[in-house]
Amino acid sequence: MKKRNNILKLTDLIFVLITVASFTGVLIPAGKFTPKLMGAPYTAWMGVVFCFAYILLAYIASKYQKEGPDDN
């Protein structure tokens, strides 16, 4: 039970950190006007990475979420 709560708190913390990072210099590097990664804009790649991270966190949280009596 305690392990389940710790995992859920960790997924929440990582979610918040990724959300904050998406609005900082991680997504748009300072001093670069047109950063590219394999021909695509760096911001597009980071958006894809953040999207997959959100999906992974949602999957992990769904596995450790408590099921109520009326959940099917």
Side-chain angles (χ1 to χ4, degrees):
M1 184 71 166
K2 182 132 173 113
K3 181 180 177 184
R4 176 180 291 188
N5 287 337
N6 287 340
I7 290 173
L8 287 174
K9 287 179 184 177
L10 182 63
T11 56
D12 290 343
L13 177 67
I14 293 171
F15 179 85
V16 169
L17 290 175
I18 290 173
T19 302
V20 169
S22 68
F23 293 104
T24 61
V26 174
L27 187 60
I28 302 171
K32 294 189 178 184
F33 296 105
T34 57
K36 298 277 186 184
L37 183 63
M38 294 176 24
Y42 179 77
T43 54
W45 280 108
M46 289 307 295
V48 169
V49 168
F50 287 163
C51 181
F52 281 125
Y54 287 137
I55 291 169
L56 180 65
L57 288 172
Y59 175 76
I60 291 169
S62 70
K63 288 297 177 186
Y64 288 98
Q65 190 69 29
K66 290 184 195 177
E67 291 185 13
D70 55 348
D71 290 341
N72 291 328

